[in-house]
């Protein structure tokens, strides 16, 4: 008679835990929630995230850097006009660097279209450009005669290969995971805001405060009933 039945104890424990969880829900500050939601929505309204913008800048750097190296190569090998006519108008796969420049243009157009204009959240576009770049450069290095033309025969293929794989790493390990994490945070904050909005009469902790004796009253009433 001095001990309550187990089902009665479980009921009291569940009641206490529900009171605690209810107080936790009501303790949410709606002002902070709205501020977070507005900050996330502001990022969405910008159209492109900061990390994606950095990726697009690096893709642009890839094109400009390869173009600069190619122009230097044209100027070193007998003047820009003469060498440009030889490499473009009289294109030769085995000795020309023009195709490496076109490969950089290909990467730039595909990646900017996919990740800046269309804002894709998948890796298939970067996988395509990296696979095409790697296969073309490997074939050109094996079949062509670039190594007999001086330092640029080594520099341009190696730089193009490295830049393509850096772009792949940056998108796959930085851009896509960070954007997915920000989206999950936004969903969590919105869900918490919706649950807080369903609570009537404000969100003050004092309105939902239960004195300690109020939780002990069910135990006293039950004990009196069992003794009676």
């Amino acid at each position: 008679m001095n001990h309550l039945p187990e089902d009665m104890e479980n009921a009291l424990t569940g009641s206490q835990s529900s009171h605690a969880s209810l107080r936790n829900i009501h303790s949410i500050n709606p002002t902070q929630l709205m501020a977070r939601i507005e900050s996330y929505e502001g990022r969405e309204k910008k159209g492109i995230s900061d990390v994606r913008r950095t990726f697009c800048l690096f893709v642009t750097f890839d094109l400009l850097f390869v173009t600069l190296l190619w122009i230097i190569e044209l100027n070193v090998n007998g003047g820009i006009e003469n060498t440009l006519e030889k490499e473009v108008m009289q294109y030769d796969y085995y000795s020309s660097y023009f195709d490496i420049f076109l490969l950089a243009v290909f990467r730039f157009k595909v990646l900017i279209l996919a990740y800046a204009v269309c804002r894709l959240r998948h890796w298939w576009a970067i996988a395509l450009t990296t696979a095409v770049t790697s296969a073309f450069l490997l074939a050109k290095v094996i079949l062509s005669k670039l190594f007999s033309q001086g330092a640029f025969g080594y520099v341009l293929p190696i730089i193009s290969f490295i830049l393509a794989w850096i772009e792949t790493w940056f998108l796959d390990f930085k851009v896509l995971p960070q954007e997915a994490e920000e989206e999950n945070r936004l969903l969590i904050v919105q869900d918490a805001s919706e649950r807080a909005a369903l609570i009537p009469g404000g969100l003050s902790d004092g309105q939902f405060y239960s004195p300690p004796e109020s939780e002990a009253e069910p135990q006293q009433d039950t004990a009196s009933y069992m003794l009676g």
Side-chain angles (χ1 to χ4, degrees), residues 48 52-61 63 104-120 125-126 129 167:
I48 187 171
R52 186 178 289 256
R53 185 183 300 108
T54 304
F55 171 77
C56 294
L57 288 175
F58 186 80
V59 172
T60 306
F61 167 79
L63 174 63
V105 175
F106 165 74
R107 289 197 302 271
F108 175 80
K109 289 185 175 180
V110 173
L111 295 179
I112 292 298
L113 178 64
Y115 297 110
V117 179
C118 299
R119 301 172 192 171
L120 293 181
I126 192 74
T129 58
E167 291 166 354

Side-chain angles (χ1 to χ4, degrees), residues 56-71 97-113 126 129-130 132-134 136-137 140 156-157 159-164 167:
C56 294
L57 288 175
F58 186 80
V59 172
T60 306
F61 167 79
D62 175 11
L63 174 63
L64 295 178
F65 189 53
V66 173
T67 303
L68 177 63
L69 291 177
W70 183 52
I71 292 175
Y97 297 94
F98 179 59
D99 46 13
I100 297 179
F101 165 74
L102 292 180
L103 197 61
V105 175
F106 165 74
R107 289 197 302 271
F108 175 80
K109 289 185 175 180
V110 173
L111 295 179
I112 292 298
L113 178 64
I126 192 74
T129 58
T130 304
V132 171
T133 299
S134 300
F136 182 86
L137 291 176
K140 190 172 182 67
L156 274 173
I159 291 297
S160 298
F161 187 85
I162 292 175
L163 290 176
E167 291 166 354

Side-chain angles (χ1 to χ4, degrees), residues 88-191:
V88 178
M89 304 303 297
Q90 303 174 6
Y91 170 75
D92 183 9
Y93 174 79
Y94 297 98
S95 61
S96 177
Y97 297 94
F98 179 59
D99 46 13
I100 297 179
F101 165 74
L102 292 180
L103 197 61
V105 175
F106 165 74
R107 289 197 302 271
F108 175 80
K109 289 185 175 180
V110 173
L111 295 179
I112 292 298
L113 178 64
Y115 297 110
V117 179
C118 299
R119 301 172 192 171
L120 293 181
R121 296 189 176 183
H122 199 273
W123 48 261
W124 68 264
I126 192 74
L128 173 64
T129 58
T130 304
V132 171
T133 299
S134 300
F136 182 86
L137 291 176
L138 288 175
K140 190 172 182 67
V141 167
I142 293 173
L143 301 176
S144 67
K145 303 175 182 178
L146 295 180
F147 292 158
S148 62
Q149 300 182 21
F152 284 97
Y154 300 88
V155 173
L156 274 173
I158 293 174
I159 291 297
S160 298
F161 187 85
I162 292 175
L163 290 176
W165 279 98
I166 290 177
E167 291 166 354
T168 303
W169 172 84
F170 191 79
L171 180 77
D172 197 24
F173 289 93
K174 295 295 182 180
V175 179
L176 299 181
Q178 185 170 334
E179 289 184 346
E181 183 179 357
E182 290 181 355
E183 184 177 0
N184 291 335
R185 289 178 181 176
L186 176 60
L187 294 176
I188 293 174
V189 171
Q190 287 179 341
D191 181 67

